[in-house]
């Protein structure tokens, strides 16, 4: 539920409550004042009635004069008594009980004590109360509805900057590198929120950048000691006369150093891509690049007895040369690495689309994980699992789309772009 | 052959020096920018290895100074990997080759030899090893004067072995030499086996001795038995 709806609902409920309460109070108040009026009128009638009744020879027990009903009852002895009450009187014509205001008092007529009940119909006043009530309630209802609607409209209008801010937050991404800058607004609360967000994202981004920078610097610094280790191992390898244990130890160190070095190279590359350090955009002929890559990878292709089929259209695309090379090389190496001995590779380059297919065993894990870092084909494989993560990162920079599909023992990676 | 190693990391510089000395090169090390400028300006070298980041200045400036003096020395930049700007800049201002750190000493050795060949013999040089000779200008291999057909990978492998004869070459260095930077993305170096096997078979079949020895647990060595 939207905040607006929620508040609107509460407003409406509260309005309804006020409406009922107001109606009740109004009804009671009107009835009360009309009763007082009627009572005064009845009280005023008392002397005239006394006069009238005294003029009569005999007193009828019930006397009806237009809207008034007069009942007389003789009393054994006279006491002072005056009382007002509501009562219902049977109307033989309408065949229903009708509300009457009854004034009961004791009086002496012809010297004898009587209880006199003077009732006056309340039909007229009841109608008046209802009319006024409906009129007033109608106006009230209209007012409430109008206020509610206006409030809704006003809220929508006033909350607009809030929704604009939300929209900006949704679109916020670290790799875009720009802090949020929501538009200025007159509403203080939103303005405070917006400025806080601006400050926060600026800080978050700068922290993010320094973290990335740290990764890059660390990877960079690791290179020198690694180079030393590797060069020293190479020198050690040249010296003969070692026993098997020593040779094996050298071999292990050498392999570990080599793996570390590869890992570091990949991480550094990723960090640099993320830090947007490859921004040398040139028009590159993908056809030539792919042909060159396939040629460079020939030692790998021939050792696995793979057959490469390339259908390459003359397609050019603006890209950083290093990234293009890394992208193509990773895609091709991926197709070689996960291929079966004697398998096939098909490279198809079309306008705005490159797809590289290779034969191979089905994936063991979910295909969504394919582009994740350190995702390996099998747990035991010595692969770093960074190749496709790098592909994805490069695609992200240029807004390319990378898709994976598997069908009939063919893995297919497709890169498509729009401009 | 005189080589100047401009490298500020003493451990790395000494490794390079040791490896190259074993191949008969005369090496000198310049660990700072000033020393590099001084030595490269005062003496003649056949090859200069230049690290870009140096205490006191940039290796690129050293190269520019050398070019200004029309030095004949071959120049190889040895710099941290993926500093692409350095690579492009370095090649633009006249360095002959670029090798990213961390590199294999055997690869550096092969590059230096290839560069020296290009510089001093204009590529017209024969490499001889017993009955095997490589005619560099024709990219042809002969065994006992009979031409031998090799694939490109086998040819490069043979050259790499010949440049590093009597040295143990690790599988990694062979893989990197054959597949280039891409080797970083590979998990298995098995692809080198088939190439080594084929090269060995072709050489032996053509009448050459089996010079390729597997060094247990380390790699391969090309030497007289």
């Amino acid at each position: 539920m939207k905040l607006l709806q929620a508040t609107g609902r509460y407003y409406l409920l509260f309005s309804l409550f006020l409406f009922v309460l107001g109606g009740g109070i109004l009804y009671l108040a009107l009835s009360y004042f009309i009763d007082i009026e009627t009572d005064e009128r009845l009280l005023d009638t008392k002397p005239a009635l006394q006069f009238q009744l005294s003029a009569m020879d005999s007193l009828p027990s019930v006397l009806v004069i237009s809207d008034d009903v007069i009942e007389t009852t003789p009393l054994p002895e006279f006491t002072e008594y005056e009382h007002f009450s509501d009562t219902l009187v049977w109307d033989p014509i309408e065949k229903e009980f009708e509300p009457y205001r009854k004034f009961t008092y004791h009086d002496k007529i012809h010297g004898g004590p009587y209880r006199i009940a003077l009732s006056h119909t309340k039909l007229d006043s009841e109608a008046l109360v209802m009319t006024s009530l409906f009129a007033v309630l109608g106006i009230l209802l209209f007012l409430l509805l109008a206020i509610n609607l206006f409030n809704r409209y006003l809220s929508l209008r006033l909350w607009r900057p809030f929704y604009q801010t939300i929209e900006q937050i949704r679109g916020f991404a670290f790799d875009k590198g720009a802090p949020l800058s929501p538009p200025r607004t007159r509403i203080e609360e939103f303005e405070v929120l917006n400025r806080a967000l601006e400050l926060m994202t600026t800080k978050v981004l700068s922290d993010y950048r320094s973290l990335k920078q740290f990764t890059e610097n660390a990877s960079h610094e690791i290179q020198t000691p690694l180079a030393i280790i590797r060069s020293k191992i190479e020198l050690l390898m040249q010296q003969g006369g070692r026993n098997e244990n020593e040779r094996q130890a050298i071999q292990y160190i050498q392999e570990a150093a080599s793996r570390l070095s590869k890992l570091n190279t990949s991480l550094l590359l990723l960090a640099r891509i993320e830090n947007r350090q490859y921004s040398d955009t040139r028009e590159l002929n993908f056809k030539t690049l792919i042909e060159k890559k396939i040629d460079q990878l020939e030692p790998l292709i021939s050792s696995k007895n793979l057959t490469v089929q390339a259908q390459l259209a003359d397609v050019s695309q603006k890209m950083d040369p290093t990234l293009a090379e890394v992208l193509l090389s990773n895609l091709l190496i991926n197709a070689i690495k996960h291929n079966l001995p004697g398998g096939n590779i098909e490279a198809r380059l079309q306008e705005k689309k490159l797809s590289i297919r290779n034969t191979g065993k089905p994936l063991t894990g979910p295909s969504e994980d394919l582009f994740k870092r350190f995702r390996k084909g099998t747990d035991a494989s010595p692969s770093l699992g960074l190749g496709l993560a790098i592909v994805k990162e490069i695609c992200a920079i240029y807004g390319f789309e990378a898709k994976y599909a598997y069908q009939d023992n063919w893995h297919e990676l497709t890169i498509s772009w729009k401009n | 052959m005189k080589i100047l190693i401009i490298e500020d990391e003493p451990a790395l510089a000494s490794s390079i020096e040791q490896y190259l000395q074993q191949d008969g090169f005369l090496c000198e090390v310049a660990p700072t920018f000033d020393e590099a400028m001084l030595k490269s300006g005062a003496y003649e070298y056949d090859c200069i290895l230049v690290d870009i980041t140096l205490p006191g200045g940039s290796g690129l400036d050293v190269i520019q100074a050398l070019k200004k003096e029309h030095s004949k020395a071959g120049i190889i930049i040895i710099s941290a990997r993926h500093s692409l700007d350095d690579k492009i800049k370095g090649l633009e201002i006249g360095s002959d080759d670029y090798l990213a750190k961390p590199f294999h000493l055997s690869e550096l050795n092969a590059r230096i030899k290839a560069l020296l060949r290009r510089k001093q013999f204009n590529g017209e040089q024969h490499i001889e090893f017993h009955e095997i000779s490589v005619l560099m200008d024709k990219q042809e291999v002969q065994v006992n004067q009979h031409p031998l057909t090799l694939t490109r990978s086998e040819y490069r492998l043979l050259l790499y072995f010949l440049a590093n004869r009597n040295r143990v070459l690790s599988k990694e260095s062979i893989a990197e030499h054959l597949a280039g930077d891409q080797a970083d993305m590979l998990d298995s170096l098995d692809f080198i086996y088939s190439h080594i096997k084929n090269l060995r078979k072709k050489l032996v079949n053509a009448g050459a001795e089996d010079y390729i020895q597997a060094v247990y647990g380390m790699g391969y060595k090309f030497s007289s038995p």
Side-chain angles (χ1 to χ4, degrees):
Chain A
M1 199 194 297
K2 279 193 176 178
L3 183 63
L4 253 169
Q5 280 178 340
T7 48
R9 203 163 286 189
Y10 280 116
Y11 270 125
L12 214 66
L13 277 174
F14 187 60
S15 308
L16 216 66
F17 170 70
L18 277 186
F19 182 76
V20 170
L21 191 74
I25 290 173
L26 190 64
Y27 176 79
L28 288 177
L30 277 174
S31 301
Y32 175 69
F33 285 116
I34 280 175
D35 277 356
I36 287 179
E37 276 301 306
T38 316
D39 293 355
E40 267 176 21
R41 218 194 115 232
L42 287 170
L43 210 58
D44 287 347
T45 320
K46 194 178 158 186
L49 188 65
Q50 162 81 17
F51 179 72
Q52 292 263 328
L53 290 176
S54 299
M56 287 183 183
D57 299 333
S58 61
L59 286 180
S61 60
V62 179
L63 193 67
V64 178
I65 306 165
S66 79
D67 283 341
D68 293 337
V69 178
I70 302 139
E71 296 159 88
T72 51
T73 326
L75 287 173
E77 66 185 278
F78 178 79
T79 46
E80 281 294 331
Y81 183 76
E82 269 185 1
H83 180 69
F84 292 95
S85 62
D86 287 321
T87 185
L88 294 170
V89 172
W90 178 255
D91 184 339
I93 303 161
E94 297 278 334
K95 290 195 192 326
E96 61 180 10
F97 286 100
E98 283 178 350
Y100 273 71
R101 187 70 179 167
K102 190 178 182 183
F103 177 37
T104 313
Y105 65 97
H106 294 174
D107 207 348
K108 282 181 181 155
I109 296 164
H110 303 306
Y114 280 92
R115 169 198 292 267
I116 298 166
L118 173 59
S119 301
H120 180 76
T121 183
K122 277 170 79 175
L123 266 182
D124 295 346
S125 46
E126 198 88 334
L128 183 68
V129 168
M130 284 330 249
T131 314
S132 343
L133 195 64
F134 280 124
V136 170
L137 286 185
I139 293 170
L140 200 65
L141 192 68
F142 173 73
L143 210 69
L144 284 177
L145 276 176
I147 286 178
N148 252 301
L149 279 175
F150 181 65
N151 205 28
R152 234 178 139 78
Y153 161 78
L154 208 64
S155 301
L156 275 176
R157 213 183 124 86
L158 291 177
W159 281 85
R160 192 173 300 151
F162 177 75
Y163 287 110
Q164 285 172 343
T165 306
I166 293 287
E167 209 45 54
Q168 284 214 359
I169 294 175
R170 273 212 195 102
F172 177 75
F174 281 109
D175 47 11
K176 283 187 192 150
L180 288 184
S181 59
R184 298 247 155 212
T185 151
R186 287 178 296 118
I187 312 294
E188 199 190 329
E189 284 84 351
F190 294 152
E191 188 60 21
V192 168
L193 174 74
N194 286 351
R195 292 319 125 209
L197 276 173
E198 203 174 326
L199 212 69
M200 187 187 83
T201 48
T202 310
K203 188 166 161 27
V204 158
L205 276 175
S206 101
D207 284 0
Y208 178 76
R209 269 195 287 264
S210 66
L211 192 67
K212 288 276 149 212
Q213 196 58 49
F214 172 77
T215 314
E216 189 188 328
N217 292 345
S219 299
H220 192 82
E221 289 308 315
I222 289 172
Q223 284 185 330
T224 307
L226 262 176
I228 295 170
I229 293 172
R230 288 180 65 176
S231 70
K232 293 299 174 196
I233 297 168
E234 227 180 321
L235 286 176
L236 279 177
M237 279 168 57
Q238 305 311 325
Q239 298 162 11
R242 295 190 193 283
N243 65 36
E244 196 176 318
N245 277 344
E246 286 167 338
R247 283 205 301 252
Q248 194 137 53
I250 290 176
Q251 166 78 358
Y252 285 146
I253 297 170
Q254 133 100 14
E255 275 174 10
S258 166
R259 238 173 107 177
L260 195 58
S261 167
K262 284 180 191 178
L263 179 66
N264 193 52
T265 308
S266 300
L267 287 179
L268 183 57
L269 180 65
L270 264 174
R272 291 195 160 210
I273 293 171
E274 281 174 348
N275 291 349
R276 296 285 189 277
Q277 299 203 354
Y278 297 103
S279 48
D280 175 22
T281 312
R282 297 181 198 189
E283 189 84 18
L284 300 171
N285 187 319
F286 269 31
K287 182 178 190 248
T288 325
L289 277 180
I290 294 170
E291 280 167 350
K292 210 171 102 189
K293 262 300 140 202
I294 293 176
D295 190 52
Q296 278 178 5
L297 293 170
E298 201 280 326
L300 302 173
I301 294 165
S302 62
S303 78
K304 250 186 160 173
N305 283 320
L306 304 176
T307 315
V308 181
Q309 276 194 316
Q311 286 188 314
L312 308 173
D314 212 0
V315 172
S316 287
Q317 168 67 15
K318 277 206 169 97
M319 227 181 141
D320 179 278
T322 313
L323 291 187
E325 193 177 319
V326 171
L327 177 74
L328 297 175
S329 142
N330 282 10
L331 284 174
L332 284 168
I333 284 182
N334 191 63
I336 296 170
K337 225 159 55 170
H338 302 293
N339 218 319
L340 307 163
N344 292 289
I345 295 176
E346 279 180 20
R348 263 168 77 99
L349 178 63
Q350 293 161 287
E351 201 57 44
K352 318 250 175 259
K353 191 175 162 191
L354 166 69
S355 75
I356 292 185
R357 304 175 69 205
N358 68 279
T359 48
K361 288 184 196 150
L363 286 184
T364 46
S367 63
E368 303 87 66
D369 290 355
L370 206 62
F371 294 101
K372 284 188 183 159
R373 287 178 194 189
F374 299 107
R375 157 69 173 69
K376 304 173 179 185
T378 49
D379 288 339
S381 105
S383 159
L384 299 172
L386 285 173
L388 289 183
I390 292 174
V391 166
K392 188 186 158 204
E393 206 58 55
I394 295 174
C395 285
I397 284 189
Y398 292 98
F400 296 175
E401 197 189 1
K403 264 198 289 197
Y404 167 79
Y406 179 78
Q407 206 180 8
D408 303 332
N409 294 321
W410 282 87
H411 298 274
E412 180 170 17
L413 276 163
T414 311
I415 309 288
S416 51
W417 56 93
K418 291 195 180 74
N419 38 33
Chain B
M1 295 283 180
K2 275 179 76 183
I3 294 182
L4 177 63
I5 303 162
I6 303 175
E7 164 65 61
D8 60 327
E9 196 60 50
L12 191 58
S14 80
S15 291
I16 298 172
E17 192 180 9
Q18 258 179 284
Y19 196 96
L20 295 180
Q21 272 172 350
Q22 284 168 11
D23 260 32
F25 290 111
L26 283 171
C27 297
E28 272 183 59
V29 177
T32 63
F33 178 77
D34 294 338
E35 220 169 312
M37 289 299 265
L38 196 72
K39 282 191 171 156
S40 64
Y43 309 102
E44 283 280 323
Y45 294 95
D46 299 290
C47 184
I48 301 179
L49 311 178
V50 187
D51 185 10
I52 298 295
T53 42
L54 290 170
S58 163
L60 292 171
D61 293 337
V62 179
I63 298 173
Q64 260 160 344
L66 280 167
K67 286 290 147 187
K68 213 180 251 173
E69 290 161 32
H70 304 288
S71 158
K72 282 186 193 122
I75 299 167
I76 299 177
I77 293 177
I78 44 173
S79 174
R81 196 172 279 252
H82 288 298
S83 315
L84 187 81
D85 295 348
D86 291 352
K87 180 175 180 176
I88 294 174
K89 225 186 212 164
L91 294 177
E92 267 169 8
I93 61 173
S95 88
D96 299 285
D97 206 348
Y98 177 97
L99 195 55
K101 280 186 202 168
F103 48 78
H104 293 276
L105 295 174
S106 44
E107 178 68 32
L108 176 67
N109 191 22
R111 298 268 190 116
I112 291 172
K113 285 183 177 167
L115 176 60
L116 292 177
R117 259 198 321 267
R118 284 208 307 273
K119 282 258 161 192
Q120 294 171 346
F121 305 97
N122 296 319
E124 292 168 26
Q125 197 207 19
H126 297 184
I127 303 173
E128 309 274 347
F129 188 81
H130 298 283
E131 63 274 24
I132 301 169
S133 50
V134 182
L135 285 62
M136 293 300 295
D137 49 340
K138 295 189 208 153
Q139 301 211 332
E140 193 184 290
V141 180
Q142 291 182 347
V143 178
N144 293 322
Q145 275 80 49
H146 296 292
L148 175 66
T149 315
L150 296 179
T151 65
R152 205 167 37 123
S153 299
E154 289 155 6
Y155 177 72
R156 291 182 61 200
L157 191 57
L158 178 63
L159 281 187
Y160 193 51
F161 274 131
L162 288 172
N164 290 291
R165 55 188 85 164
N166 299 321
R167 298 294 184 88
V168 178
L169 298 180
S170 66
K171 282 177 279 181
E172 281 84 1
S173 99
I174 296 172
E176 245 168 75
H177 186 76
L178 288 182
D181 278 349
Q182 280 88 3
D184 277 348
M185 285 293 150
L186 295 173
D187 352 306
S188 153
L189 305 176
D190 292 348
F191 76 95
I192 67 167
Y193 297 138
S194 64
H195 295 292
I196 289 173
K197 200 178 74 190
N198 292 342
L199 175 64
R200 173 189 272 158
K201 211 192 304 178
K202 282 184 182 176
L203 287 174
V204 172
N205 285 349
E209 278 215 53
D210 187 6
Y211 297 116
I212 304 175
Q213 302 164 19
V215 180
Y216 178 75
M218 288 185 184
Y220 295 90
K221 191 171 171 181
F222 196 88
S223 64
S224 316

